[in-house]
Amino acid sequence: MTGLDGKCIAVTGGMGLIGSAIVDLLLIYGKTSKIFILANSEAKFLDRYSGYEKVGFVEYNALEKFNIDLAVDYIIHCAGIASPELYVEQPVETMLTNILGIKDLLEYAKDNQVERVLYVSSSEIYGRRENGDSFVESEYGIVDLDEIRSSYPVAKRASEMLCKSYTSQYGVDSVIVRPGHIYGPTVNEKDKRISSEFAIKAAKGDKLIMKSSGMQKRSYCYSVDAAVQILTVLLYGKMGEAYNIGNDSVTSIREMVEMYAKYGEVACEVVEPTVGEVKAFNPMNHSVLSNEKVKALGYSDAFTAEEGLEHTVRILKEILSDKE
């Protein structure tokens, strides 16, 4: 990662699941000049990063005009609403945090000689399709515009096109990553995605209650592997292109939950979901991503699903124990 040596990097949403994993890797690498975390909670920042001289905090809200004066080489944009129930409850904020957030950053990059903007999109931009083949970057399914939950994938699609538009019209160097289902100990306790919520419950010793059969296939990816892939794209990805962020260990939701139950030594139960819970479900029965494109840049998986899920529960148990 020598391309990061001496560079100043801004990470929006730098206290989130993916953003904080990126910051942690950059700190371990240790050769960047400065890392700015753009987030909305200075208290959380101080709790985690106050002892690191290279890391600075900048208050940030993706819904507010970006008028922060920073001299940075790279911007990694992770900020945005990423909890499924909010796609239904707050569809306006879901769309605007994505579209306005990336628009302001692209405009800033255009006017301030930023070397590259990396936008963290989502596998949900692919939508639904009938077969179970892995998604590659050039093939898309259907997003149902009559479902309010589609505020999220539609916003991601629009934001991706905005990146490509700024690249085409103004020459702004942007790249896009499409994470699948990311999990890890950097999870936020308010995150209601099943891979996040169940990690915390397993670490706490709580029963895991599934609200579906769990047969849907997912490319669950450990946050460390996701962060490595994202930094690989930041350095070596082709301007204007998108890259899937996934893992070779394809598992079903049920298999993931059973592994969480095993490593947390807790029970697992299946119950019927409420109507409201069904509305927040990801409509993609098969969300399996091919990450061959990012592998062609030199990346290879470090963790299997079993290893990553075991690490997640074990580390979360340690974190919870330290808080007691």
Side-chain angles (χ1 to χ4, degrees):
M1 294 199 297
T2 55
L4 297 174
D5 292 3
K7 300 295 185 179
C8 181
I9 302 171
V11 184
T12 73
M15 296 302 300
L17 171 62
I18 295 176
S20 60
I22 293 170
V23 172
D24 289 345
L25 277 187
L26 292 173
L27 286 172
I28 291 170
Y29 180 66
K31 295 184 180 180
T32 57
S33 65
K34 188 75 175 182
I35 305 164
F36 288 107
I37 292 179
L38 279 62
N40 58 14
S41 175
E42 187 172 12
K44 290 182 180 178
F45 167 81
L46 292 173
D47 183 55
R48 182 163 179 182
Y49 292 113
S50 60
Y52 296 92
E53 293 183 2
K54 282 190 175 183
V55 185
F57 174 81
V58 177
E59 188 170 352
Y60 173 76
N61 185 330
L63 285 175
E64 297 177 0
K65 180 69 177 177
F66 187 82
N67 56 5
I68 299 164
D69 186 16
L70 292 178
V72 299
D73 299 295
Y74 296 123
I75 297 173
I76 301 175
H77 185 41
C78 304
I81 291 176
S83 200
E85 79 281 2
L86 296 181
Y87 308 160
V88 177
E89 296 172 8
Q90 299 178 12
V92 173
E93 289 83 354
T94 296
M95 295 197 71
L96 294 182
T97 54
N98 276 284
I99 297 168
L100 295 182
I102 188 60
K103 182 263 183 185
D104 281 351
L105 294 172
L106 290 166
E107 194 69 25
Y108 185 85
K110 176 173 71 74
D111 296 338
N112 291 274
Q113 298 181 319
V114 174
E115 290 185 32
R116 169 163 280 187
V117 177
L118 183 145
Y119 175 57
V120 178
S121 183
S122 169
S123 62
E124 287 207 32
I125 62 102
Y126 289 115
R128 296 194 315 268
R129 65 180 183 190
E130 297 303 318
N131 64 50
D133 294 343
S134 298
F135 282 102
V136 296
E137 288 82 352
S138 59
E139 298 176 359
Y140 303 91
I142 297 169
V143 172
D144 187 350
L145 297 182
D146 291 324
E147 292 292 336
I148 198 63
R149 191 198 178 284
S150 296
S151 60
Y152 182 70
V154 168
K156 288 294 187 182
R157 282 186 171 186
S159 298
E160 285 198 17
M161 184 53 67
L162 201 54
C163 288
K164 292 177 181 291
S165 298
Y166 267 80
T167 296
S168 175
Q169 187 169 340
Y170 300 118
V172 173
D173 189 334
S174 69
V175 287
I176 298 159
V177 294
R178 297 169 177 164
H181 295 262
I182 313 302
Y183 65 89
T186 51
V187 61
N188 186 313
E189 289 195 33
K190 294 182 180 179
D191 190 338
K192 295 302 180 183
R193 287 172 290 190
I194 189 170
S195 56
S196 299
E197 183 179 10
F198 279 26
I200 294 170
K201 286 186 174 181
K204 288 181 175 179
D206 296 340
K207 178 191 287 188
L208 306 182
I209 300 177
M210 291 182 58
K211 300 296 181 73
S212 72
S213 65
M215 292 298 104
Q216 304 96 321
K217 294 287 186 179
R218 301 285 188 253
S219 296
Y220 285 110
C221 183
Y222 191 36
S223 56
V224 175
D225 273 344
V228 172
Q229 290 176 76
I230 289 169
L231 290 175
T232 299
V233 173
L234 179 71
L235 290 174
Y236 308 116
K238 186 175 179 180
M239 182 172 69
E241 295 199 1
Y243 295 80
N244 287 337
I245 304 299
N247 189 278
D248 287 341
S249 295
V250 175
T251 60
S252 69
I253 294 175
R254 188 181 189 92
E255 289 169 333
M256 176 204 66
V257 173
E258 288 173 346
M259 281 188 270
Y260 271 149
K262 174 185 175 182
Y263 300 130
E265 299 180 312
V266 298
C268 177
E269 180 183 352
V270 179
V271 301
E272 287 294 317
T274 66
V275 173
E277 288 168 335
V278 170
K279 287 183 178 180
F281 284 177
N282 186 332
M284 299 170 69
N285 286 329
H286 295 280
S287 182
V288 178
L289 304 181
S290 167
N291 65 344
E292 292 302 314
K293 189 174 178 180
V294 74
K295 285 180 179 176
L297 300 179
Y299 167 80
S300 60
D301 294 335
F303 293 89
T304 64
E306 290 85 355
E307 291 169 336
L309 292 165
E310 188 276 330
H311 277 216
T312 297
V313 175
R314 175 163 49 84
I315 294 169
L316 282 172
K317 282 183 176 181
E318 293 172 1
I319 292 171
L320 292 170
S321 177
D322 289 341
K323 289 182 179 180
E324 293 177 354

